[in-house]
Amino acid sequence: MISLNTWDILIIFGFFAITLGIGIYVSKSSGKNSSEFFLSGKSMPWWLLGISMVATTFSTDTPNLVTDIVRTSGVSGNWVWWAFLLTGLLTVFIYARLWRKSNVNTDLEFYELRYGGKPARFLRGFRAIYLGVIFNVITMSAVTLAAIKIGGIMLGLEPWQTVVSAGLITVIFSAVGGFKGVVYTDFLLFFVAMGGAIGAAYYLVNIPEVGGLEALLSNENVKDKLDILPDTSNTHTLITLLIIPLAVQWWSSWYPGSEPGGGGYIAQRMLSAKNEKHAIGATFFFNIMHYALRPWPWILVALASLVVFPDLESLQQAFPIVADDKLGHDLAYSAMLTKLPAGLLGLVLASLVAAYMSTISTQLNWGSSYIVYDFYKQRINPEASEKRLVAVGRISTVGLMVLSALLALLLQNALQLFEVLLVFGAGTGLIFILRWFWWRINAWSEINAMFVSGILSLLFKLTPLGDYLFATETGLLPDWMEYPTVVIVTTAAWLIATYSTSPESTEVLNSFYKKINPGGPGWKKVVQEAKAEGTELDTGEKWSVPKGIQAMLYGTVLIYSLLFATGYWIYGRWTGALILTAVALISGSVLILKWRQIKATIT
């Protein structure tokens, strides 16, 4: 446990005051109507939305998660989430413009645009609760769990004390300021969080126990953790850490913030953009910052923690106040922060608070938008006034905060929850991609995939069946087969459901095509049948997806090159760093040319 001096306290309380002040300042405009409260009138610029996306995904549980991964699997273990870059860049160059064209208020409203009848209505209402409440509360509880561990190690706080103190101001400015308050405070939170992460990494690498960067990289506990790519001679590691994430995971799994086809709070920000160009610019900026640059300060602290706290026993000895059920490798990040000096400690604590507030406020506003637009207005009170909708939004914001705080008190570690969420959406991702480009996808496809994936993940992760089927030594199948199994079974189930049920009506399909103009061979049948009946759907606009995929590939090379180059510069591997920097410059130049071609076709 540490003690805060006057400067630390002033920095933290000053930060609280500013964020709360922003929420109060924008409260009047945010409370005008539901569109202002949840989408800020769809008038946001790309740079503000991009920074908001980055700030939202900072989160207090992310450095804990990265630390857990690095300590147990090495730097290469981060491919479990680095692989989602492919999803992110498809959203940038293909789906951002489609979402903006839809002009819906939430991505769940899309269901009654793309599908029709009772199945579409059920899907929208059910997922409003399934995602807006259940999934959202689980995600927020992981963030709050990280705050509990930070509060316990650094300040000696009881879990309930951390939950109350961390959540109170967040829920106040979220409920009062709405989406505009969230985005405006994110602008401040981004710089505070980034500054704190970099400052902490620089200082902690140079403390006497670590001895500087050169000593860190040559330490016996660290040397075998440095590789950015998994060991190709270890088949199990290669399959689990690289092949499955890159070959299957990125397109097959629905995961908050990395949804195939776009969705969730990323879609909320795209829908709030001024136009298609601003939606694309925001998501591209987010992907560069999220994958290429931001991970390294956390990775450096995680590596340094292996020198100071090489195992769980050393962590337990250093922090006996931590309960046994909360002890894990993710604690090492917070443990390292206790070694920061006054002043910097205050800044880093403020940065952690910033990360917490940004993520929670976004999740609260996004989840509340589902409850208001997709459940309350659709099922409970279709004639509700704008004033009533805003009021329900504020009440649901508070309710979601309370539920997530209660669940956080029961959880143990962030990696445990990450794995459950990852499997929970396995096999559904392909639907979120194909529903834009294949007319045959219908509401039953999504309903079937959602239930099959959810049931399988619960059986495998929360019952003895998972250990019986998938285990390194005793299971019928190797443990790395668990995720592909869920993907294969879920995909087979929704394909059967798709072909054994009727397609959406001609009226629904034609209406969707007119509004979105998705184009491509997957809609050729619909366009031809409409033309035969005297309805012209083809506008003559060239299908933009091939150029978008090309841009995605160049962007992937650019961002992964930046990610690797940054690591090699840090490691002192100069030749590799120079080559990768050159690759990044070349791919970036080609991407600029490709972007000019794409930009000419959008508004």
Side-chain angles (χ1 to χ4, degrees), residues 308-343:
V308 182
F309 305 105
D311 50 35
L312 290 180
E313 184 179 353
S314 59
L315 278 170
Q316 191 170 40
Q317 289 176 354
F319 302 97
I321 191 174
V322 177
D324 290 342
D325 66 341
K326 294 291 189 287
L327 184 67
H329 284 289
D330 56 341
L331 278 175
Y333 189 83
S334 307
M336 291 297 292
L337 298 184
T338 62
K339 298 184 176 296
L340 295 174

Short mmCIF file of all heavy atoms in Angstrom, two decimals, residues 308-343:
data_model
loop_
_atom_site.label_atom_id
_atom_site.label_comp_id
_atom_site.label_asym_id
_atom_site.label_seq_id
_atom_site.Cartn_x
_atom_site.Cartn_y
_atom_site.Cartn_z
N VAL A 308 10.87 -7.95 -10.83
CA VAL A 308 10.57 -7.57 -9.44
C VAL A 308 9.69 -8.61 -8.74
O VAL A 308 9.90 -8.94 -7.57
CB VAL A 308 9.89 -6.18 -9.42
CG1 VAL A 308 9.61 -5.75 -7.97
CG2 VAL A 308 10.74 -5.15 -10.13
N PHE A 309 8.70 -9.11 -9.46
CA PHE A 309 7.78 -10.12 -8.91
C PHE A 309 7.73 -11.31 -9.86
O PHE A 309 6.80 -11.43 -10.68
CB PHE A 309 6.37 -9.53 -8.74
CG PHE A 309 6.31 -8.28 -7.91
CD1 PHE A 309 6.12 -7.05 -8.53
CD2 PHE A 309 6.45 -8.33 -6.54
CE1 PHE A 309 6.06 -5.88 -7.78
CE2 PHE A 309 6.39 -7.17 -5.78
CZ PHE A 309 6.20 -5.93 -6.39
N PRO A 310 8.69 -12.21 -9.80
CA PRO A 310 8.80 -13.27 -10.81
C PRO A 310 7.68 -14.30 -10.79
O PRO A 310 7.45 -14.98 -11.79
CB PRO A 310 10.14 -13.93 -10.48
CG PRO A 310 10.41 -13.57 -9.06
CD PRO A 310 9.81 -12.23 -8.85
N ASP A 311 6.96 -14.43 -9.67
CA ASP A 311 5.89 -15.42 -9.60
C ASP A 311 4.78 -14.94 -8.68
O ASP A 311 4.88 -13.87 -8.06
CB ASP A 311 6.44 -16.77 -9.12
CG ASP A 311 7.28 -16.64 -7.85
OD1 ASP A 311 6.94 -15.78 -7.01
OD2 ASP A 311 8.27 -17.38 -7.70
N LEU A 312 3.72 -15.75 -8.58
CA LEU A 312 2.57 -15.37 -7.74
C LEU A 312 2.94 -15.36 -6.26
O LEU A 312 2.40 -14.55 -5.49
CB LEU A 312 1.41 -16.35 -7.98
CG LEU A 312 0.71 -16.27 -9.33
CD1 LEU A 312 -0.42 -17.29 -9.41
CD2 LEU A 312 0.16 -14.87 -9.58
N GLU A 313 3.84 -16.21 -5.86
CA GLU A 313 4.25 -16.25 -4.45
C GLU A 313 4.89 -14.94 -4.03
O GLU A 313 4.63 -14.42 -2.93
CB GLU A 313 5.22 -17.41 -4.23
CG GLU A 313 5.61 -17.59 -2.77
CD GLU A 313 6.56 -18.75 -2.55
OE1 GLU A 313 6.80 -19.49 -3.53
OE2 GLU A 313 7.05 -18.90 -1.43
N SER A 314 5.71 -14.37 -4.91
CA SER A 314 6.35 -13.09 -4.58
C SER A 314 5.33 -11.97 -4.51
O SER A 314 5.45 -11.05 -3.69
CB SER A 314 7.43 -12.75 -5.62
OG SER A 314 6.88 -12.67 -6.92
N LEU A 315 4.31 -12.04 -5.35
CA LEU A 315 3.23 -11.04 -5.28
C LEU A 315 2.46 -11.17 -3.98
O LEU A 315 2.12 -10.17 -3.33
CB LEU A 315 2.28 -11.23 -6.47
CG LEU A 315 2.68 -10.60 -7.81
CD1 LEU A 315 1.75 -11.09 -8.92
CD2 LEU A 315 2.64 -9.08 -7.73
N GLN A 316 2.17 -12.39 -3.60
CA GLN A 316 1.41 -12.62 -2.37
C GLN A 316 2.19 -12.15 -1.14
O GLN A 316 1.61 -11.57 -0.21
CB GLN A 316 1.06 -14.10 -2.25
CG GLN A 316 0.05 -14.40 -1.14
CD GLN A 316 -0.44 -15.83 -1.22
OE1 GLN A 316 0.33 -16.74 -1.48
NE2 GLN A 316 -1.74 -16.04 -1.01
N GLN A 317 3.49 -12.40 -1.13
CA GLN A 317 4.31 -11.97 -0.02
C GLN A 317 4.38 -10.45 0.07
O GLN A 317 4.39 -9.88 1.16
CB GLN A 317 5.72 -12.55 -0.16
CG GLN A 317 5.80 -14.05 0.07
CD GLN A 317 7.19 -14.60 -0.18
OE1 GLN A 317 8.08 -13.88 -0.64
NE2 GLN A 317 7.38 -15.89 0.10
N ALA A 318 4.44 -9.79 -1.08
CA ALA A 318 4.54 -8.34 -1.09
C ALA A 318 3.22 -7.67 -0.73
O ALA A 318 3.20 -6.57 -0.16
CB ALA A 318 5.00 -7.86 -2.47
N PHE A 319 2.09 -8.33 -1.04
CA PHE A 319 0.78 -7.73 -0.81
C PHE A 319 -0.15 -8.74 -0.14
O PHE A 319 -1.09 -9.26 -0.75
CB PHE A 319 0.17 -7.26 -2.14
CG PHE A 319 1.03 -6.27 -2.86
CD1 PHE A 319 1.89 -6.69 -3.87
CD2 PHE A 319 1.02 -4.92 -2.52
CE1 PHE A 319 2.71 -5.79 -4.53
CE2 PHE A 319 1.83 -4.02 -3.18
CZ PHE A 319 2.68 -4.45 -4.18
N PRO A 320 0.11 -9.03 1.14
CA PRO A 320 -0.71 -10.03 1.85
C PRO A 320 -2.15 -9.59 2.03
O PRO A 320 -3.02 -10.42 2.32
CB PRO A 320 0.00 -10.15 3.20
CG PRO A 320 0.78 -8.86 3.35
CD PRO A 320 1.18 -8.49 1.97
N ILE A 321 -2.43 -8.28 1.83
CA ILE A 321 -3.79 -7.77 1.99
C ILE A 321 -4.72 -8.30 0.92
O ILE A 321 -5.94 -8.34 1.08
CB ILE A 321 -3.79 -6.23 1.99
CG1 ILE A 321 -5.16 -5.70 2.44
CG2 ILE A 321 -3.44 -5.68 0.62
CD1 ILE A 321 -5.20 -4.20 2.61
N VAL A 322 -4.15 -8.72 -0.23
CA VAL A 322 -4.97 -9.18 -1.35
C VAL A 322 -5.55 -10.56 -1.03
O VAL A 322 -4.83 -11.48 -0.65
CB VAL A 322 -4.14 -9.25 -2.65
CG1 VAL A 322 -4.98 -9.81 -3.80
CG2 VAL A 322 -3.61 -7.87 -3.01
N ALA A 323 -6.86 -10.70 -1.22
CA ALA A 323 -7.53 -11.97 -0.95
C ALA A 323 -7.07 -13.04 -1.93
O ALA A 323 -6.70 -12.74 -3.07
CB ALA A 323 -9.05 -11.80 -1.05
N ASP A 324 -7.09 -14.30 -1.50
CA ASP A 324 -6.62 -15.40 -2.34
C ASP A 324 -7.40 -15.49 -3.65
O ASP A 324 -6.84 -15.84 -4.69
CB ASP A 324 -6.74 -16.73 -1.58
CG ASP A 324 -5.73 -16.83 -0.45
OD1 ASP A 324 -4.74 -16.06 -0.47
OD2 ASP A 324 -5.93 -17.66 0.45
N ASP A 325 -8.72 -15.20 -3.61
CA ASP A 325 -9.52 -15.33 -4.82
C ASP A 325 -9.29 -14.19 -5.81
O ASP A 325 -9.83 -14.19 -6.91
CB ASP A 325 -11.02 -15.44 -4.48
CG ASP A 325 -11.56 -14.15 -3.86
OD1 ASP A 325 -10.76 -13.34 -3.36
OD2 ASP A 325 -12.79 -13.98 -3.87
N LYS A 326 -8.52 -13.18 -5.41
CA LYS A 326 -8.20 -12.07 -6.32
C LYS A 326 -6.73 -12.12 -6.76
O LYS A 326 -6.28 -11.27 -7.52
CB LYS A 326 -8.47 -10.73 -5.62
CG LYS A 326 -9.95 -10.46 -5.30
CD LYS A 326 -10.75 -10.23 -6.56
CE LYS A 326 -12.17 -9.74 -6.27
NZ LYS A 326 -13.04 -10.78 -5.74
N LEU A 327 -5.98 -13.13 -6.29
CA LEU A 327 -4.56 -13.23 -6.63
C LEU A 327 -4.38 -13.80 -8.03
O LEU A 327 -4.90 -14.87 -8.35
CB LEU A 327 -3.85 -14.12 -5.61
CG LEU A 327 -2.33 -14.24 -5.76
CD1 LEU A 327 -1.65 -12.91 -5.48
CD2 LEU A 327 -1.79 -15.34 -4.84
N GLY A 328 -3.63 -13.09 -8.86
CA GLY A 328 -3.36 -13.55 -10.22
C GLY A 328 -2.23 -12.73 -10.82
O GLY A 328 -1.80 -11.72 -10.27
N HIS A 329 -1.74 -13.15 -11.99
CA HIS A 329 -0.65 -12.44 -12.64
C HIS A 329 -1.06 -11.02 -13.06
O HIS A 329 -0.19 -10.16 -13.22
CB HIS A 329 -0.16 -13.22 -13.86
CG HIS A 329 0.67 -14.40 -13.51
ND1 HIS A 329 1.95 -14.30 -13.02
CD2 HIS A 329 0.39 -15.74 -13.57
CE1 HIS A 329 2.44 -15.51 -12.80
NE2 HIS A 329 1.52 -16.40 -13.12
N ASP A 330 -2.35 -10.80 -13.24
CA ASP A 330 -2.80 -9.46 -13.63
C ASP A 330 -2.56 -8.42 -12.53
O ASP A 330 -2.55 -7.22 -12.79
CB ASP A 330 -4.28 -9.47 -14.03
CG ASP A 330 -5.20 -10.02 -12.96
OD1 ASP A 330 -4.69 -10.73 -12.05
OD2 ASP A 330 -6.41 -9.77 -13.02
N LEU A 331 -2.33 -8.90 -11.30
CA LEU A 331 -2.04 -7.98 -10.19
C LEU A 331 -0.68 -7.30 -10.35
O LEU A 331 -0.42 -6.26 -9.74
CB LEU A 331 -2.03 -8.75 -8.87
CG LEU A 331 -3.37 -9.03 -8.19
CD1 LEU A 331 -3.15 -9.91 -6.98
CD2 LEU A 331 -4.05 -7.74 -7.81
N ALA A 332 0.20 -7.87 -11.16
CA ALA A 332 1.57 -7.38 -11.25
C ALA A 332 1.65 -5.95 -11.76
O ALA A 332 2.55 -5.20 -11.38
CB ALA A 332 2.40 -8.30 -12.15
N TYR A 333 0.72 -5.55 -12.62
CA TYR A 333 0.75 -4.17 -13.13
C TYR A 333 0.53 -3.18 -11.99
O TYR A 333 1.30 -2.23 -11.82
CB TYR A 333 -0.31 -3.98 -14.22
CG TYR A 333 -0.19 -2.66 -14.93
CD1 TYR A 333 0.71 -2.50 -15.98
CD2 TYR A 333 -0.96 -1.56 -14.56
CE1 TYR A 333 0.84 -1.29 -16.65
CE2 TYR A 333 -0.84 -0.35 -15.22
CZ TYR A 333 0.05 -0.21 -16.26
OH TYR A 333 0.18 0.99 -16.91
N SER A 334 -0.50 -3.42 -11.21
CA SER A 334 -0.77 -2.55 -10.07
C SER A 334 0.37 -2.59 -9.06
O SER A 334 0.74 -1.56 -8.47
CB SER A 334 -2.07 -2.97 -9.38
OG SER A 334 -3.13 -3.02 -10.29
N ALA A 335 0.94 -3.79 -8.86
CA ALA A 335 2.05 -3.92 -7.92
C ALA A 335 3.24 -3.06 -8.32
O ALA A 335 3.89 -2.43 -7.48
CB ALA A 335 2.47 -5.39 -7.83
N MET A 336 3.53 -3.00 -9.61
CA MET A 336 4.65 -2.18 -10.09
C MET A 336 4.38 -0.69 -9.88
O MET A 336 5.30 0.09 -9.60
CB MET A 336 4.90 -2.46 -11.57
CG MET A 336 5.46 -3.84 -11.85
SD MET A 336 7.09 -4.11 -11.11
CE MET A 336 8.09 -2.98 -12.08
N LEU A 337 3.13 -0.30 -10.00
CA LEU A 337 2.80 1.12 -9.87
C LEU A 337 3.02 1.64 -8.45
O LEU A 337 3.16 2.85 -8.23
CB LEU A 337 1.34 1.37 -10.29
CG LEU A 337 1.00 1.05 -11.75
CD1 LEU A 337 -0.44 1.44 -12.04
CD2 LEU A 337 1.94 1.75 -12.72
N THR A 338 3.08 0.74 -7.47
CA THR A 338 3.32 1.18 -6.10
C THR A 338 4.73 1.74 -5.93
O THR A 338 5.03 2.37 -4.92
CB THR A 338 3.13 0.01 -5.11
OG1 THR A 338 4.07 -1.02 -5.39
CG2 THR A 338 1.72 -0.55 -5.20
N LYS A 339 5.59 1.52 -6.88
CA LYS A 339 6.98 1.98 -6.80
C LYS A 339 7.19 3.36 -7.43
O LYS A 339 8.31 3.85 -7.50
CB LYS A 339 7.90 0.96 -7.47
CG LYS A 339 7.85 -0.39 -6.76
CD LYS A 339 8.82 -1.38 -7.36
CE LYS A 339 8.81 -2.68 -6.55
NZ LYS A 339 9.28 -2.50 -5.16
N LEU A 340 6.12 3.99 -7.89
CA LEU A 340 6.24 5.31 -8.51
C LEU A 340 6.44 6.40 -7.46
O LEU A 340 5.92 6.30 -6.34
CB LEU A 340 4.98 5.61 -9.33
CG LEU A 340 4.74 4.71 -10.54
CD1 LEU A 340 3.39 5.04 -11.18
CD2 LEU A 340 5.85 4.86 -11.57
N PRO A 341 7.15 7.47 -7.81
CA PRO A 341 7.38 8.57 -6.87
C PRO A 341 6.18 9.52 -6.81
O PRO A 341 5.29 9.48 -7.68
CB PRO A 341 8.60 9.28 -7.47
CG PRO A 341 8.44 9.08 -8.94
CD PRO A 341 7.87 7.70 -9.09
N ALA A 342 6.17 10.36 -5.81
CA ALA A 342 5.11 11.36 -5.67
C ALA A 342 5.06 12.24 -6.92
O ALA A 342 6.06 12.52 -7.55
CB ALA A 342 5.36 12.22 -4.43
N GLY A 343 3.88 12.69 -7.26
CA GLY A 343 3.71 13.50 -8.46
C GLY A 343 3.39 12.61 -9.65
O GLY A 343 2.29 12.65 -10.20
#
